[in-house]
Amino acid sequence: MHPSALHRVWRPGFPLDLRLTVGQLRRGHSDPTHHAGTDGSVWRTSRTPNGPCTLRLIDRPATGEIEASAWGPGAEWQLDALPALLGAEDDPDAFVARHTIVRDAERRFAGLRMPRTTLVVTALVPSILEQKVTTIEARRAYRLLLGKYGEAAPGPAPTGLRVVPDARTWAMIPSWDWARAGVDGRRSRTVIEAVRVAGRLEATTGVAHPEAARLLRLVPGIGIWTAAETMQRSHGDADALSVGDLHLPKTIGYALAGHAVDDAGMLELLAGYPGHRHRAALLIRMSGVKVPRRAPRYAPRGHFVGKAL
């Protein structure tokens, strides 16, 4: 028997595209913590400070309301955090589109908001797994690790939906299971270093964004890129630009200058978006700008392909 659901109806009072906003938290189509229903629903799992939770969201455009249902020990916490999750703390009105491509994307995706989960480790671990490997490798590793070390989502969740492990479980994963998931020693050590100070990392949601990013980077193995990828999700940081990304500077360069640039060039091109550089970069990526391919796509390393934990 499923535990009883808690319910909340929330009226944003601003344009909100539910799938675009919550979709920023999804780590690819195989993400076992996210499910997009054919009925327009969005399902998310989370490990809240009160325990695991399954959240189901439905947009009701006719009434301007979001209907939320939650199951599990963390249900009440998650429903209380719903406005922040759906971008209520975001400030897109302070954003001024200074390029035509950005302006057009802003109009097309007017309901895009920056989600703020306040769950730092949940956002940090998959960001670490994505360091210096292909997206395919990182997402396969995340799926395999959650399949073995996560737990089934509470409530009447879609098949396969999982809740991320707690900090202690992440720390106890043996080296051979990291290896079977295709995670090298450097990244697994970084995860372990991070979860050892999980409490301090979670507390960074209460400080200013630049200081929070600095504190994240004190963990060995966490640099500017990983901190930014985390801050975008856990802190709702619209300025957390993913400096060090393999593809992003080329995308920004071709969109705004007509040619590829490096990180320094990207920072220069986005200097006109203080406080909103991540938002500007995200809109540019969503615009569909084409970047010429000059080299074959990097193939995943074959030593773990197809292996299960």
Side-chain angles (χ1 to χ4, degrees):
M1 175 177 286
H2 296 302
S4 298
L6 297 182
H7 303 281
R8 178 176 183 178
V9 176
W10 181 62
R11 185 185 294 272
F14 52 78
L16 174 65
D17 188 312
L18 177 63
R19 289 206 169 188
L20 278 183
T21 297
V22 181
Q24 294 172 71
L25 305 174
R26 187 176 193 176
R27 316 307 281 236
H29 294 294
S30 64
D31 185 345
T33 71
H34 186 108
H35 175 80
T38 56
D39 60 352
S41 62
V42 176
W43 295 76
R44 288 283 307 170
T45 66
S46 57
R47 183 167 295 281
T48 78
N50 296 341
C53 172
T54 301
L55 177 68
R56 179 179 183 264
L57 301 169
I58 289 281
D59 186 8
R60 302 298 186 193
T63 62
E65 295 173 336
I66 302 293
E67 295 180 2
S69 301
W71 295 263
E76 184 175 1
W77 183 96
Q78 184 63 86
L79 291 179
D80 286 344
L82 184 66
L85 178 70
L86 300 184
E89 298 178 11
D90 188 22
D91 186 19
D93 291 340
F95 178 74
V96 179
R98 303 185 181 279
H99 299 86
T100 300
I101 191 171
V102 178
R103 193 176 305 115
D104 290 345
E106 185 184 27
R107 282 196 295 264
R108 287 172 56 198
F109 306 110
L112 178 72
R113 308 285 291 203
M114 298 295 112
R116 183 175 187 263
T117 68
T118 74
L119 301 173
V120 180
V121 171
T122 295
L124 177 59
V125 171
S127 298
I128 294 170
L129 296 180
E130 292 173 4
Q131 292 176 347
K132 299 185 184 301
V133 296
T134 67
T135 301
I136 293 173
E137 287 177 280
R139 290 174 178 171
R140 183 187 287 114
Y142 189 53
R143 183 177 70 252
L144 292 174
L145 290 166
L146 262 63
K148 182 166 185 177
Y149 292 100
E151 60 183 275
T159 302
L161 211 60
R162 307 286 288 177
V163 181
V164 296
D166 58 20
R168 183 178 183 276
T169 301
W170 280 120
M172 296 297 291
I173 296 176
S175 59
W176 53 86
D177 275 347
W178 287 112
R180 287 172 181 166
V183 180
D184 58 73
R186 179 186 56 78
R187 285 180 292 150
S188 62
R189 284 192 298 271
T190 301
V191 171
I192 292 168
E193 291 283 353
V195 299
R196 283 174 177 166
V197 293
R200 277 182 274 172
L201 296 181
E202 300 296 349
T204 65
T205 58
V207 302
H209 289 170
E211 175 64 5
R214 186 189 71 81
L215 293 171
L216 285 177
R217 295 197 302 270
L218 292 178
V219 177
I222 296 179
I224 295 175
W225 183 89
T226 306
E229 290 284 314
T230 303
M231 294 282 297
Q232 292 161 11
R233 298 166 172 87
S234 57
H235 295 66
D237 189 349
D239 197 48
L241 185 64
S242 299
V243 175
D245 191 273
L246 178 62
H247 305 291
L248 188 59
K250 297 176 185 177
T251 301
I252 302 303
Y254 273 98
L256 302 185
H259 57 82
V261 298
D262 57 11
D263 279 333
M266 176 176 69
L267 289 168
E268 183 177 350
L269 288 171
L270 295 177
Y273 297 96
H276 294 271
R277 294 175 301 171
H278 166 56
R279 188 194 308 277
L282 180 60
L283 287 169
I284 289 169
R285 291 173 61 188
M286 293 170 64
S287 72
V289 59
K290 301 298 183 183
V291 177
R293 287 183 58 187
R294 298 178 179 273
R297 192 182 298 271
Y298 174 71
R301 291 164 292 178
H303 67 278
F304 70 93
V305 174
K307 291 184 179 180
L309 295 183

